[in-house]
């Protein structure tokens, strides 16, 4: 299928998410769409997939101008999409998910489950994507769930496959395998639109790379373009991909985790015997693919998840199974993974959010009554010190940009006396300027002797910040290595190899 | 072709948090202990109870009869108590992953059975009043039927992702208009239709406010109940009182199914009922079949679980929800008519919270029609006994007995929420981006 | 689109008629007060429809609309007469009666009669304000306490018992009676609180069911010693001693029932304001209400918050109950807070109307109290049932809960789909 976008413009109120975008995907081509978070990639995909209707411009498929009222029509026209957040019903079986919307039926509207399962087996075989049609989605590992998403698109005879940030949840080895599948699909004549913000991946798999920035196409380049060039196109200026930092001068151990076992909501031991330590004045970076227990580990550190066995020690004091309040009092600074969910109250003011976890601390309150003057004064100071862009301290946090929201959290956490800092995916979804800023702040704290634990699934971030790197896989630490270790080694460790065997 | 070389974490086994099974186990065992001590050892050793199985007031003049069964109260009740204790202890110790609710249900039935034997014991305050099981089941079935209508209504709405907490108000609406139409036309088919239409209109209001305007579904529901109860009270005074012939309260007559109604014990309970009862059974089967066997059901459930995924394959989420809510609330309206047809003329407040009990039955029944039936039966029997146990002169006041169905509802909700999983998108407003 | 166009035009051409409308829209789409007033207008309109469709003379007049040339006019007149009479009776019964007022001005007499409607409205509003604050504080914490009515009944029972069964000087007796009411409400409130905190039981179902349980409990208590009025077989309690009663503000001789209870209500309003806006605990509550996850991460103990919210909310509802008893009837009977007298239910609508803010609740309570008191007068004067007031109240709240709909009806510019600041989630939470 040849698909051509001509002058696609999509606005949300006064904000223009896509601005006169032109794009051509040839049959059998892997076309990469590269851009930062918030550049308008997902909006564009939703336009192609019929989930959004553009204000201007047209979509031309094989010479025919098309208008999709909804995604069902797009699917019928041969467009398939693998969403970043899987569009799978967790309690349904693989077969039910694959046929949803296009169900084979018998009399009385009954589902023809046998036909559905047969169809899945046929497509699985054709493309080598083995999966049990009767398995329930929520019981499958993430990699297999993604496979189901691909199957779902293929079984509707998709000729154009859109993959929206498909690698975020995969190990480097799984990414390799996915790329192999993409290549073979392209060879079979399918067109592929691959969306990502990772430079290495586009160069590895793409035939053509189109870069977009702030809703506009910056240009299309061949995969031989250097990473530095691509990065510059992406952000519009030269970027330093690393933070300059002096060698660490580690001091005493501030945080010690020993044989930690933590269960997730389903009762599985997703943290399964983790041992790790962080010293004052160093940054320990915890690398690993999402969903290997990092989230639960951090929750346990923050006192938000019960610890089944093992111990956590802060500056020599046993704090195992402390309550969140007690952990904060022990000097835990926490930049949570999901800032809007756990870090902020969006419907409250910047000033209130800046004292969210210290409301009772002097001078913000005395004997149960808040001192709003002190809260306000604190807010003015932080807004100034941390360069939070807001019209007023009374402004609701929801009206701030993502980067400034993160700055509110960073300001709040770093402005009180800390024993150690846990920062989980601290720069996810931020623009490059904010990333640099947040990294700088963290490194500064480390220089002043704070022990820092960074949890990140972005290898770039891990290498930029980490003095030592620990890798987590399936609830265990597969090894702790120093920051000079090669990407390949770390990649293997993320896939479960121990540090020794990964070196071999 | 390349296969995804996944270093596969072994497919996660389905683990249910075990804590609650143990809690329910303790409750069950406690129930059993209570039965053992109060109803078992609380009856004197020589006391006996008489169970009978021939419905009284039966117009069908059953040509069959089963003799009375005389049992020793103390030992039967001790046995019932011990069984319940055993079930509870098993749950505490072994923590079975499934069937906690079924087990609790069995213990609850044992409790009710023992309570009856104890109430009717001789010597005892009732002076040997026979325990007519068939009559009790017939009486309970009327309440159970209404509860099941309500729960089915909730299933239709909540499986599509809209919380319908206003079942009580929809019962009131159905009962009111059903009574007016039944009284004027003396035709229960028309009355049912009127109840369904009244329900559908109420459903439209709920759907309109929560789907188009994304209002909080629970608030809208609660306010709708207030509105319906005041509106019905208003119309009762303004219209029904001056024109009593609009609210004569004729009861739906029973339709005996030839031969089957003669089956001992269960015949009169299941096969000599009003049309509403049979219609309820048809509805249960239809919805059960529809939800779990058909394309329609798959789509409805997808909408209730993951509306975005449904939308992404071209299913119209909003339309599906509209249709389900309107149909679902129409069922509650019919439930109101059924209540009227079994209880008599419309009175203000006479549904007395049955709609909320239906909601609890829905939760207890895990959003499944079959579960709703079991829960409806359990709650129906409790509610019926609460109203009628006084005939046995037992030393418990009417008021305390009256609290019973509500207390059971609280216990069930407290024990189960968190264990049972509602449709994932239940109650969450949906907006296309 | 056209609305935006209008704005653009308005900016380009000041002084055009478009501008006035634009000002109006900007003013109204931002003001919750205007929204509430518009909802009230809609409520009265729908109430009028209910009257029209349930009054024979009006319907007859419309049926005969084609019978003569004068018939349509006659029908309109009959409609306005009936609806007007009802709403006039509501007004004169709850605010003041102009003719009575002029009579008092002219003669200087019968001021008590003139002031009675206002006094009644305030009497009714006093416990309503307290109960609505109870519901509102819970709402601000993301908790839907539908059990305020049951909690108020418990407070009333406890207060009536302490007030009637012991004898002591008023300076001790009144506080003790009020405290008993608070404790009674707390006991009732603690049940859903603990169940929600420790088992996850949804508070809506638990509090609803408890309302029924408490209604039975009320009758049970009133029929048993020592609560029952001795020598009675009805469900009625002993009468509170005068030392436990909240005395009428203008003395018993005035005939005006408004009591010192309004100072209690005022204190509760101040407390609620301080609690929500200034106290650390209230800050915790608001964080919990707006984002339970962030609350947890910030070291707030969610279980404790839930239990404490229910204790405060239940305690205030209990206070409302005891204030109601000790300022009006001085005894409790089987009809206490049952049916249309159930201030705990009205309190839910008031809290929503007042957006859970203390001052909003005060205005909302005065308004709904006036509707209730006026409704009684309407029933006496025109025979239209008091329930009309409740119907209007629920319609008003439905519209307040759906601001976008109101704006659409009145063709106002819709700023954003801002709902009520409350998130009752599904059954899981």
């Amino acid at each position: 299928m040849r698909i051509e976008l001509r002058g696609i413009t999509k606005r949300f109120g006064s904000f223009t998410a896509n601005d006169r975008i032109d794009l051509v995907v040839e049959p059998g081509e892997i076309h990469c769409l590269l851009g930062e978070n918030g550049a308008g990639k997902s909006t564009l995909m939703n336009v192609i997939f019929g989930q959004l209707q553009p204000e201007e411009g047209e979509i031309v498929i094989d010479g025919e101008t098309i208008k999709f009222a909804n995604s069902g029509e797009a699917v019928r026209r041969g467009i398939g999409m693998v969403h970043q957040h899987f569009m799978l019903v967790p309690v349904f079986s693989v077969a039910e998910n694959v046929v949803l919307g296009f169900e084979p039926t018998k009399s009385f509207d009954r589902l023809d489950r046998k036909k559905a399962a047969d169809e899945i087996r046929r497509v699985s075989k054709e493309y080598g994507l083995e999966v049990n049609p009767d398995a329930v989605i929520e019981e499958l590992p993430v990699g297999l769930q993604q496979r189901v998403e691909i199957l779902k698109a293929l079984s509707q005879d998709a000729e154009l496959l859109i993959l929206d940030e498909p690698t975020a949840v995969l190990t480097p080895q799984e990414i390799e395998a996915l790329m192999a599948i993409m290549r073979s699909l392209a060879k079979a004549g399918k067109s592929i639109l691959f969306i990502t913000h990772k430079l290495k991946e586009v160069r590895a798999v793409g035939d053509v790379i189109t870069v977009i920035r702030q809703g506009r196409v910056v240009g299309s380049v061949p995969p031989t373009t250097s990473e530095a060039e691509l990065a510059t196109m992406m952000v519009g200026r030269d970027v330093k991909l690393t933070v300059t930092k002096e060698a660490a001068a580690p001091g005493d151990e501030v945080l010690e985790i020993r044989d930690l076992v933590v269960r997730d909501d389903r009762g599985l031991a997703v943290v399964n015997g983790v041992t790790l330590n962080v010293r004052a004045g160093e940054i320990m970076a915890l690398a690993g693919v999402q969903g290997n227990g990092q989230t639960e580990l951090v929750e346990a550190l923050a006192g938000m998840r019960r610890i089944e066995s093992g111990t956590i020690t802060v500056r020599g004091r046993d704090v195992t199974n402390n309550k969140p309040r007690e952990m904060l009092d022990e000097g835990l600074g926490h930049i949570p993974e999901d800032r809007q969910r756990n870090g902020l109250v969006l419907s409250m003011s910047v000033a209130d959010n800046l004292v969210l976890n210290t409301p009772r601390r002097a001078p913000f309150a005395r004997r149960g009554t808040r001192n709003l003057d002190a809260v306000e004064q604190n807010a003015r100071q932080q807004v100034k010190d941390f360069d939070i862009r807001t019209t007023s301290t009374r402004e609701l946090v929801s009206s701030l940009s993502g980067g400034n929201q993160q700055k509110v959290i960073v300001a709040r956490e770093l402005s009180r006396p800390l024993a150690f800092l846990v920062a989980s995916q601290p720069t996810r979804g931020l623009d490059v300027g904010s990333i640099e800023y947040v990294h700088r702040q963290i490194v500064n704290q480390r220089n002043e002797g704070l022990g820092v634990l960074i949890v990140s699934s972005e290898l770039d971030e891990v290498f930029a910040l980490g003095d030592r790197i620990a890798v987590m896989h399936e609830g265990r630490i597969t090894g702790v290595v120093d920051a000079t270790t090669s990407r390949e080694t770390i990649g293997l460790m993320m896939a479960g190899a121990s540090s020794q065997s990964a070196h071999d | 072709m390349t296969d995804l070389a996944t270093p596969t974490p072994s497919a996660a086994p389905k683990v249910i948090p075990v804590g609650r099974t143990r809690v329910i186990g303790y409750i069950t065992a406690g129930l059993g202990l209570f039965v053992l001590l109060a109803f078992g050892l609380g009856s004197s050793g020589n006391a006996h109870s008489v169970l009978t199985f021939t419905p009284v007031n039966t117009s069908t003049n059953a040509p069959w009869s089963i003799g009375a069964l005389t049992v020793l109260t103390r030992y039967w009740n001790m046995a019932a108590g011990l069984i319940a204790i055993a079930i509870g202890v098993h749950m505490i110790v072994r923590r079975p992953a499934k069937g906690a609710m079924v087990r609790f249900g069995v213990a609850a039935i044992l409790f009710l059975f023992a309570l009856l034997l104890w109430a009717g014991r001789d010597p005892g305050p009732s002076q040997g009043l026979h325990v007519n099981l068939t009559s009790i089941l017939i009486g309970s079935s009327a309440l159970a039927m209404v509860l099941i209508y309500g729960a089915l209504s909730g299933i239709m709405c909540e499986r599509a992702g809209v919380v319908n907490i206003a079942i009580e108000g929809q019962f009131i609406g159905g009962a009111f208009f059903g009574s007016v139409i039944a009284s004027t036309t003396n035709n229960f088919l028309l009355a049912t239709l009127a109840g369904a239409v009244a329900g559908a209109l109420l459903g439209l209001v709920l759907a309109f406010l929560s789907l188009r305007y994304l209002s909080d579904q629970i608030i809208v529901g609660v306010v709708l109940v207030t509105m319906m109860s005041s509106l019905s009270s208003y119309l009762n005074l303004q219209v029904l009182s001056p024109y009593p012939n609009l609210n004569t309260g004729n009861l739906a007559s029973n339709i005996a199914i030839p031969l089957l109604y003669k089956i001992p014990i269960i015949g009169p309970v299941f096969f000599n009922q009003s049309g509403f009862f049979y219609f309820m059974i048809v509805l249960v089967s239809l919805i059960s079949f529809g939800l779990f066997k058909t394309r329609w059901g798959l789509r409805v459930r997808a909408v209730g679980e993951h509306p975005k995924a449904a939308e992404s394959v071209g299913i119209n989420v909003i339309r599906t929800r509209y249709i389900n809510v309107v149909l679902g609330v129409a069922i509650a309206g019919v439930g109101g008519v059924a209540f009227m047809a079994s209880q008599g003329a419309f009175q203000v407040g006479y549904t007395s919270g049955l709609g909320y009990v239906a909601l609890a039955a829905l939760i207890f029944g895990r959003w499944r029609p079959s579960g709703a039936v079991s829960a409806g039966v359990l709650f129906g029997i409790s509610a019926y006994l609460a109203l009628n146990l006084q005939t046995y002169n037992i030393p418990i006041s009417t008021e305390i007995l009256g609290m019973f169905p509500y207390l059971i509802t609280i216990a069930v909700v407290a024990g189960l929420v968190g264990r049972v999983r509602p449709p994932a998108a239940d109650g969450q407003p949906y907006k296309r981006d | 689109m056209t609305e935006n166009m209008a704005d653009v035009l308005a900016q380009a051409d000041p002084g055009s008629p478009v501008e006035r409308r634009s000002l109006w829209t900007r003013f109204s789409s931002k003001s919750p007060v205007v929204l509430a007033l518009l909802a009230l207008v809609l409520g009265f309109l729908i109430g009028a429809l209910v009257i029209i469709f349930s009054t024979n003379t009006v319907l007859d007049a419309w049926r005969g609309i084609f019978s003569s040339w004068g018939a349509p006019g006659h029908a309109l007149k009959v409609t306005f007469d009936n609806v007007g009479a009802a709403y006039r009776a509501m007004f004169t019964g709850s605010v003041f009666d102009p003719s009575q007022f002029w009579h008092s001005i002219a003669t200087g007499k019968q001021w008590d009669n003139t002031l009675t409607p206002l006094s009644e409205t305030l009497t009714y509003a006093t416990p309503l304000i307290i109960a609505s604050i109870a519901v509102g504080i819970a709402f601000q914490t993301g908790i839907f306490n539908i059990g305020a009515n049951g909690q108020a009944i418990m407070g009333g029972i406890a207060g009536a018992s302490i007030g009637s069964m012991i004898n002591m000087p008023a300076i001790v007796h009144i506080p003790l009676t009020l405290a008993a009411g608070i404790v009674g409400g707390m006991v009732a409130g603690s049940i859903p609180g603990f169940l929600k905190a420790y088992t996850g039981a949804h508070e809506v179902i638990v509090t609803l069911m408890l309302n029924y349980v408490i209604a039975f409990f009320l009758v049970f208590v009133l029929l048993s010693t020592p609560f029952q009025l001795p020598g009675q077989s009805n469900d009625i309690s002993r009468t509170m001693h005068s030392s436990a009663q909240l005395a009428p503000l203008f003395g018993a001789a005035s005939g005006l029932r408004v009591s010192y209870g309004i100072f209690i209500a005022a204190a509760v309003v101040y407390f609620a304001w301080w609690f929500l806006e200034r106290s650390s605990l209230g800050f915790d509550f608001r964080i919990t209400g707006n984002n339970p996850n962030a609350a947890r991460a910030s070291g707030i103990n969610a279980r404790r918050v839930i239990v404490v919210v229910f204790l405060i909310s239940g305690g205030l509802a209990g206070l409302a109950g005891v204030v109601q008893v000790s300022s009006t009837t001085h005894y409790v009977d089987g009809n206490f807070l049952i049916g249309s007298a159930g201030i705990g239910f009205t309190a839910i609508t008031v809290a929503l109307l007042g957006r859970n803010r203390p001052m909003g609740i005060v205005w909302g309570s005065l308004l709904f109290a006036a509707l209730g008191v006026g409704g009684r007068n309407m029933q006496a004067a025109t025979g239209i049932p008091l329930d009309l007031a409740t119907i209007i109240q629920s319609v008003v709240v439905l519209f307040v809960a759906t601001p976008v709909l109101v704006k659409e009806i009145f063709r106002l510019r819709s700023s954003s789909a801002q709902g009520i600041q409350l998130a009752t989630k599904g059954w899981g939470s």
Side-chain angles (χ1 to χ4, degrees), chain B residues 111-358:
Chain B
F111 173 87
L112 293 171
F113 183 70
L115 171 66
L116 278 171
L117 290 186
W118 173 78
R121 71 193 188 277
D122 186 22
S126 72
Q127 284 154 5
L129 192 68
H130 292 182
V131 178
N132 190 325
L133 270 187
T134 309
S135 282
I136 288 171
L137 287 179
I138 291 173
S140 308
S141 72
L143 288 171
M145 166 180 75
V146 177
L147 290 177
I148 293 170
Y149 271 114
L152 285 179
S153 160
I155 288 172
M156 288 288 284
C157 300
E158 300 202 6
R159 277 290 181 177
V162 178
V163 169
N164 177 14
I165 202 170
I167 298 171
E168 175 78 1
Q170 295 144 7
F171 277 170
I172 294 173
F176 184 93
F177 290 105
S179 179
V180 170
I181 300 296
S183 305
T184 46
T185 66
N186 205 14
N187 181 335
F188 270 98
L189 206 62
L190 285 179
T192 307
L193 215 63
V197 169
L201 290 176
L202 284 171
L204 210 56
V205 174
L206 174 64
F208 187 66
L209 295 181
S210 54
L211 299 177
R212 188 181 153 106
Y213 294 104
L214 311 180
S215 296
D216 187 299
Q217 295 166 10
I218 290 186
I219 288 179
V220 169
V222 168
V223 177
L224 276 179
V225 177
T226 314
M227 187 146 82
M228 283 315 290
S229 57
S230 47
L231 187 64
S232 70
S233 168
Y234 175 92
L235 292 177
N236 183 50
L237 285 171
Q238 278 294 75
V239 183
L240 299 191
S241 297
Y243 306 98
N245 58 333
L246 285 181
N247 188 23
T248 54
N250 32 2
L251 303 175
S253 51
N254 286 355
I255 307 164
I257 296 189
L259 292 178
L260 289 178
Y261 78 98
K262 292 183 178 173
I263 300 171
I265 307 177
I266 61 162
V269 180
F270 290 102
F271 303 110
N272 185 24
Q273 286 275 14
S274 70
F276 290 102
F277 187 87
Y278 303 126
F279 182 55
M280 177 269 290
I281 292 184
V282 171
L283 268 183
V284 168
S285 341
L286 261 183
I287 294 177
S288 199
F289 169 79
L291 270 182
F292 299 109
K293 298 279 183 234
T294 68
R295 176 172 67 174
W296 170 81
L298 190 74
R299 292 183 171 193
V300 166
R301 286 184 291 133
V303 164
E305 293 282 350
H306 195 333
K308 282 213 156 100
E311 191 84 54
S312 78
V313 289
I315 296 169
N316 190 329
V317 172
I318 300 294
R319 194 174 65 197
T320 309
R321 289 189 171 174
Y322 262 107
I323 293 172
N324 266 59
V325 170
V326 169
L327 284 179
V329 178
I331 293 174
V334 175
V337 184
F339 182 77
M340 184 276 299
S342 63
Q343 306 292 318
F346 179 84
Q347 298 163 32
V348 173
Y350 80 152
T351 48
S352 62
L354 218 53
Y356 297 116
V357 180

Side-chain angles (χ1 to χ4, degrees), chain A residues 348-351 353 390-400:
Chain A
M348 284 187 171
S349 68
V350 171
N353 272 285
T390 173
T391 52
S392 143
T393 54
R394 305 256 166 88
E395 188 86 32
L396 297 186
V397 163
S398 55
S399 62
L400 267 54

